[in-house]
Amino acid sequence: MILDIISKKANNYELTKEELETILLGYLNDEVKDYQMSAFLMAICINDMSDSEVFALTDIFIKSGDILDLSFIDKIKVDKHSTGGVGDKTTLIVAPLVASCGVPVIKMSGRGLGYTGGTIDKLESIPGFKVDLTEEEIKKQAQDIGIVITSQTKDLAPLDKKVYALRDVTATTNSIPLIASSIMSKKIAGGADKIVIDIKVGNGALIKTIEEAERLSSLLIKIGTYYQKEVRTVISNMDRPLGHNIGNKLEVIEALDVLKGNAKGELLDLSLKLASEMVSLGKEISEKKAREEVVENLENGKALNKFLEFVKYQHGNIDKLEVDAKVYNIKANKNGILKDINALAIAKLSEKLGAGRKDKDDKIDYNAGIVIKKEIGDKIKEGDILASLYTNIDNKEFNLERIFEIS
Ligand code: URA
């Protein structure tokens, strides 16, 4: 039976929901083996899925675990998701911005793996910050201050977790239907009413082309419609890192800088865009009107105060945010114009400095990371500092090739 299902997909026939359930629930219960699931996932990568197969797959993922009930909050709950990028600390900026406008943000976030960072690691780099809240604590905090970011309390979409771990090691991560059902199952199980999804495109992202991003966007919106959840997507560039700081504590510092009104550029622009979309959905107002509120709360300090209130409520001590690491400066070896900063190469370097995990049980160094000192288009003189590396690893021979393109 399992072989028939794999072979049906390999021959590009549409599967029924029952057939999808048979193979996927079999995998959850360890009756279907990793090698069988790998062949099945590869058949999906090659032959794609119809919309009804994608809806069925999403449903099977959702029902494999708990569904969070946030109905105790009588306002519209809007969640945000990013498909993952280098230096992406927008949640730290957007969540307090949105909450300061009166739209509740109750967010389950994850840890980083490989080159992608995770919001929970970033928050945990704040001394004392408590990331694992109980359901009672989540409810109380949501009612008291309207913003909660916590690691997963319940087992949300455990089948997606198991399938994702296998996709990661079988070159099946970049299938659009698999990505769409994976993201949407977690968001729906997480109790969101409406969802904003930041689709990253570029060499530092899972999605490499605008065409793929547009297809993913349309599929995410379709799945949302199927579940009567409004979904909006934003497509953003990930050929270059987002902002200047990469690495957990360094990213919190940069997010704080944005909230203090000290930053300009792509990170600020994207944060304002995502926050405006979320407030527009949460308050059912136009994006233009929402943007006015968001910008006002950034400028009058309400968003910053909401962030500080949130960190304090979860026992973090923001005053103790010194970066405890040795610093190595990378200097330019020629004159010219800075043409490019390669996101993927930066991510690999950051992992080598100690900021990322190769394996999910690895310890990471919250202090490690990179601060980029120059902008694309800047005139560079030989000897200028391009970036500072923060690390507690003694090897100074880090591979810096192909990170900065100067010509
Ligand atoms: N994010 C997810 O949660 N799942 C994917 O498959 C890709 C990005």
Side-chain angles (χ1 to χ4, degrees):
M1 179 67 177
I2 296 300
L3 286 192
D4 294 338
I5 296 171
I6 299 171
S7 151
K8 193 170 167 187
K9 191 75 230 173
N11 287 302
N12 205 11
Y13 290 104
E14 189 178 35
L15 297 177
T16 62
K17 183 159 187 193
E18 290 66 36
E19 286 166 330
L20 285 164
E21 268 168 355
T22 302
I23 186 159
L24 284 149
L25 297 181
Y27 185 57
L28 185 65
N29 301 330
D30 295 326
E31 286 150 16
V32 170
K33 304 295 170 210
D34 274 351
Y35 52 81
Q36 293 171 312
M37 185 50 63
S38 306
F40 181 63
L41 292 170
M42 189 53 82
I44 293 176
C45 277
I46 294 166
N47 287 330
D48 214 327
M49 281 183 130
S50 67
D51 288 351
S52 48
E53 284 177 313
V54 174
F55 300 154
L57 180 61
T58 310
D59 217 50
I60 296 166
F61 281 153
I62 295 171
K63 291 184 179 144
S64 71
D66 299 313
I67 296 173
L68 205 65
D69 181 8
L70 297 178
S71 59
F72 64 93
I73 298 169
D74 60 4
K75 289 184 176 171
I76 296 171
K77 277 83 57 189
V78 189
D79 203 351
K80 156 197 180 281
H81 186 84
S82 155
T83 57
V86 185
D88 183 1
K89 69 280 289 173
T90 50
T91 293
L92 301 177
I93 301 161
V94 169
L97 254 175
V98 171
S100 75
C101 295
V103 176
V105 180
I106 296 106
K107 202 165 162 41
M108 308 278 138
S109 286
R111 294 183 186 279
L113 187 62
Y115 308 134
T116 56
T119 301
I120 288 300
D121 292 324
K122 295 175 209 221
L123 287 170
E124 221 170 35
S125 75
I126 304 171
F129 195 97
K130 188 167 179 245
V131 294
D132 44 357
L133 304 179
T134 63
E135 257 188 282
E136 282 316 304
E137 287 171 326
I138 294 173
K139 278 189 185 169
K140 180 161 184 345
Q141 186 171 333
Q143 266 145 359
D144 286 351
I145 64 169
I147 172 171
V148 185
I149 305 180
T150 177
S151 55
Q152 280 187 14
T153 45
K154 293 206 172 188
D155 212 4
L156 304 183
L159 178 58
D160 168 64
K161 203 174 187 178
K162 189 167 179 188
V163 170
Y164 194 84
L166 189 64
R167 284 170 57 203
D168 221 14
V169 291
T170 54
T172 52
T173 44
N174 58 359
S175 145
I176 303 288
L178 292 179
I179 296 172
S181 50
S182 166
I183 293 174
M184 289 301 287
S185 62
K186 283 176 292 208
K187 295 290 113 183
I188 291 166
D193 299 313
K194 302 188 180 190
I195 305 150
V196 174
I197 299 171
D198 179 12
I199 302 177
K200 302 275 184 212
V201 192
N203 71 49
L206 208 51
I207 308 290
K208 307 290 180 202
T209 67
I210 288 286
E211 290 71 31
E212 285 174 308
E214 281 168 352
R215 159 121 207 269
L216 177 59
S217 166
S218 126
L219 199 49
L220 291 164
I221 292 167
K222 275 191 202 164
I223 301 174
T225 307
Y226 181 79
Y227 284 94
Q228 293 169 330
K229 311 249 179 207
E230 194 174 344
V231 173
R232 289 198 196 157
T233 60
V234 173
I235 296 178
S236 65
N237 179 285
M238 195 28 75
D239 282 324
R240 301 194 277 271
L242 188 60
H244 294 106
N245 295 12
I246 297 97
N248 296 290
K249 202 180 277 182
L250 291 166
E251 292 193 34
V252 176
I253 292 170
E254 187 174 25
L256 253 175
D257 245 20
V258 174
L259 289 166
K260 284 178 184 165
N262 297 339
K264 284 204 285 275
E266 230 173 325
L267 174 61
L268 173 66
D269 294 347
L270 180 59
S271 301
L272 291 176
K273 171 75 182 155
L274 294 169
S276 306
E277 293 287 6
M278 288 176 78
V279 171
S280 158
L281 285 174
K283 293 193 155 181
E284 300 184 309
I285 55 177
S286 70
E287 200 215 325
K288 184 167 175 282
K289 178 92 191 45
R291 194 180 175 92
E292 282 164 18
E293 285 192 30
V294 165
V295 170
E296 192 181 328
N297 279 8
L298 183 70
E299 287 173 355
N300 65 18
K302 283 192 180 161
L304 173 65
N305 288 340
K306 186 53 82 180
F307 180 76
L308 297 176
E309 187 183 21
F310 148 71
V311 169
K312 196 165 168 204
Y313 204 107
Q314 289 190 220
H315 308 283
N317 187 348
I318 205 80
D319 301 326
K320 294 229 165 99
L321 217 54
E322 303 95 49
V323 181
D324 182 13
K326 289 182 216 110
V327 184
Y328 302 96
N329 288 326
I330 307 179
K331 294 186 179 165
N333 57 8
K334 61 175 175 180
N335 297 327
I337 302 289
L338 182 58
K339 289 277 165 60
D340 199 11
I341 305 172
N342 184 306
L344 185 59
I346 284 273
K348 287 183 180 173
L349 174 60
S350 165
E351 190 193 307
K352 285 217 179 76
L353 297 172
R357 309 186 168 79
K358 278 204 180 63
D359 196 78
K360 71 177 175 27
D361 298 320
D362 286 350
K363 277 225 163 326
I364 50 174
D365 179 358
Y366 293 125
N367 297 287
I370 302 165
V371 176
I372 298 165
K373 303 283 189 183
K374 298 286 181 191
E375 307 275 347
I376 305 284
D378 278 359
K379 206 167 170 188
I380 306 290
K381 285 208 300 285
E382 188 180 340
D384 280 355
I385 297 175
L386 298 173
S388 300
L389 311 186
Y390 291 75
T391 186
N392 289 301
I393 293 172
D394 278 333
N395 175 11
K396 280 177 262 175
E397 302 305 312
F398 297 111
N399 183 3
L400 305 176
E401 272 172 41
R402 301 205 317 271
I403 292 184
F404 294 97
E405 188 191 323
I406 299 171
S407 58

